[in-house]
Structure formats: structure tokens, C-alpha cells
Amino acid sequence: MALLKKKVDAPGLPEVLPTHIGFIMDGNGRWAKKRGLPRGYGHVEGGKAFKRIMKYCKEIGIPYLSFYVFSTENWKRSEQEIQGILKLMTEYLDEVQSHLDEGIRYVAIGDISAFPDYISTRMQKLMDDTKDCDELTILFCCNYGGRHEITHAAREIAELAARGELSPEDITEDTVAQHLYTAEFPDVDLVIRPSGELRLSNFLIWQCAYAEYYFTNVLWPDFSTEDLDKALIDFAGRGRRFGGA
Ligand code: IPE
Ligand code: IPE
Ligand code: MG
């Protein structure tokens, strides 16, 4: 499931592409700071980059994309910044909902119940309305943390065991995977993190166990389709062994 044959005849793109790309959309704040602007402007530009990259990935035929929108740790930010991000999320959800693309399924993963109702109900509606679309699946990691997700899965599994519905010796890696928010989706093949930070920051830690990583100093609002091409070319040259020889 890891690799996919290129869908379009795009010169410059490698023949094999990742099935699932995870984007850690980082560097919005620094983008704004460099221009002497408040951080919120960086998030606005980051939103534009998201739309540009999503559109391009759909054109070239990548079937699964995950975007790190808001982490379980991002609540540490100022109230003003959080409110600005929530406002952008609301505007975006309204925009997509009013122009639904038949091919795109949207799934929010993370504890969305922590968001104000006006956000969680919009997200739920978008998920419900697009659940049968299957050309491209977009996972929005919202109030998402990999440790939180694994803890949540452990709790569900423990409840089954406590009720006598599952024996501890029957718990396999597959059981854990089936209790993650991503149960029905493939693992991540390629993680792209712009902004020069060389870390995962709690992003899909289970699902990225065998992903390839691509880091660049470009800040997310500046991330272009050419930058994505570079990442895809780099990915195509990697030797993935998954522990084999
Ligand atoms: C990523 O950009 C967006 C979110 C975390 C919501 P940042 O806001 O982290 O940008 P920097 O890292 O401060 O530049
Ligand atoms: C990761 O970026 C979270 C998102 C992109 C939503 P952060 O900016 O929060 O990560 P750290 O703090 O640099 O690790
Ligand atoms: Mg950051």
C-alpha cells in the first residue's frame, strides 16, 4: 500500500509517489515575525499554503493527506492566538461546506469535543456529508496528540478486557491500530516538516513509525508546489526496507 503509480503525466515528478503524506504545517509565526506582523497573519498565509498544497496533491493523485492543524500542546498559546486560529478554522469549514468537492472526504482526528460547539458541530457535519467520497481523504489533526491518541486507544482496549470481551494475550499491534483514530487509513509514508525544526512534535507517532522524513527550512506559508516536488523526488530515492535486509 506504500507506493502509488503517478496519476498524471507531470514531467519532473517521480514515477512512484507516497500514498499518505503527513504535513506538519510549521513556521507561520516566524513568517509573520519576519515581516513585523502579528502571528495571526502567519496563520492566514498558512491557510493559503494548505489550500495550494491540498489542491496540487489532489491533481497528482495522492489519496491520503494528513495536516497537523492544532496540537494538544497548542492550548499553551495566548488566548488571542488561539481565538484567531479558531476563527480561521470556522471560516475554512464554512467555505468547504459551501463548495463540497465530490471526491474529497474530510476526517477530523483528535479530541474535537474540546473545541467550542460551533467548531465541533461544523467538523462533524463536514465528516458526515463527505463520508462516501473516496478520491482523496484529508485528515485534519485537530486538538491532536499522538500520546493522547495512544492513551485513548489503551483505555478502550482496557474497557473491553475489563468486560471480559478481550483477553490480554489477544491484544496485538493490529488491536492497537484498530483503536486509533486512523483505524481505517494507511500508515504515513512521508512526513514533511517545514520551518527548520527537526522533530515530530507528537504528530501521528504510531502511524509514522516507518515513515520517511523530509525537513526543509522553508516556512509553511512559503511552501510551494515546487517545494513539494523536491520532497517527492527525495522520497522516491529513499530505500525503504522496513527492517528487511
Ligand atoms: C504552526 O506554525 C501553526 C500552529 C502550530 C497552529 P507556528 O505558529 O508554530 O509557527 P512558528 O513555529 O511559531 O513559526
Ligand atoms: C506542531 O508545531 C503543531 C502544528 C503544526 C499544529 P508546533 O510549533 O506546535 O511544535 P513545536 O512547539 O515547535 O514542537
Ligand atoms: Mg511552530
Side-chain angles (χ1 to χ4, degrees):
M1 187 67 184
L3 296 177
L4 166 89
K5 274 277 179 196
K6 189 166 74 166
K7 181 173 141 186
V8 287
D9 183 26
L13 271 189
E15 275 308 310
V16 284
L17 296 173
T19 295
H20 186 170
I21 308 179
F23 291 94
I24 302 177
M25 305 188 284
D26 199 17
N28 295 352
R30 278 164 282 173
W31 185 93
K33 193 172 175 208
K34 257 172 67 179
R35 289 161 179 78
L37 297 167
R39 296 177 60 83
Y41 283 84
H43 296 312
V44 172
E45 289 303 309
K48 294 181 192 165
F50 156 74
K51 288 184 207 170
R52 166 164 85 233
I53 294 303
M54 184 200 95
K55 184 167 171 270
Y56 182 63
C57 287
K58 182 164 184 275
E59 277 164 23
I60 63 172
I62 309 284
Y64 295 94
L65 302 173
S66 291
F67 290 94
Y68 209 179
V69 176
F70 195 87
S71 76
T72 45
E73 288 74 33
N74 287 148
W75 297 107
K76 292 176 190 161
R77 298 190 178 199
S78 73
E79 188 59 23
Q80 189 193 11
E81 180 167 355
I82 293 172
Q83 288 308 326
I85 293 171
L86 296 186
K87 182 167 174 279
L88 280 173
M89 283 165 67
T90 312
E91 286 168 3
Y92 178 73
L93 288 166
D94 285 344
E95 186 185 319
V96 214
Q97 187 70 49
S98 60
H99 295 94
L100 285 183
D101 174 323
E102 282 180 3
I104 308 183
R105 177 177 178 191
Y106 295 90
V107 182
I109 66 167
D111 179 12
I112 63 166
S113 70
F115 289 114
D117 282 354
Y118 62 86
I119 301 241
S120 50
T121 51
R122 278 172 165 86
M123 280 180 176
Q124 194 55 56
K125 178 161 171 51
L126 185 61
M127 288 198 266
D128 293 343
D129 290 354
T130 63
K131 68 179 186 329
D132 297 321
C133 304
D134 58 6
E135 192 184 333
L136 166 62
T137 299
I138 298 201
L139 304 180
F140 285 132
C141 304
C142 294
N143 191 27
Y144 174 87
R147 290 181 173 182
H148 174 273
E149 180 182 36
I150 293 169
T151 307
H152 176 262
R155 256 188 220 157
E156 284 189 358
I157 295 167
E159 278 165 19
L160 290 176
R163 290 203 300 268
E165 291 169 30
L166 185 66
S167 324
E169 60 271 21
D170 291 335
I171 299 170
T172 61
E173 289 187 9
D174 204 41
T175 317
V176 178
Q178 286 306 313
H179 286 269
L180 298 177
Y181 296 122
T182 51
E184 56 176 310
F185 309 115
D187 279 349
V188 176
D189 298 302
L190 172 63
V191 176
I192 298 179
R193 182 164 192 162
S195 92
E197 306 300 351
L198 308 180
R199 56 177 171 260
L200 216 39
S201 302
N202 211 4
F203 178 65
L204 296 170
I205 51 181
W206 175 284
Q207 299 85 345
C208 290
Y210 261 105
E212 297 296 323
Y213 293 84
Y214 182 86
F215 297 104
T216 165
N217 289 331
V218 173
L219 301 173
W220 175 251
D222 291 326
F223 195 83
S224 64
T225 56
E226 288 78 19
D227 292 316
L228 180 57
D229 286 349
K230 282 188 208 157
L232 294 172
I233 291 163
D234 195 280
F235 172 82
R238 307 265 181 108
R240 299 182 85 195
R241 286 180 290 282
F242 300 97

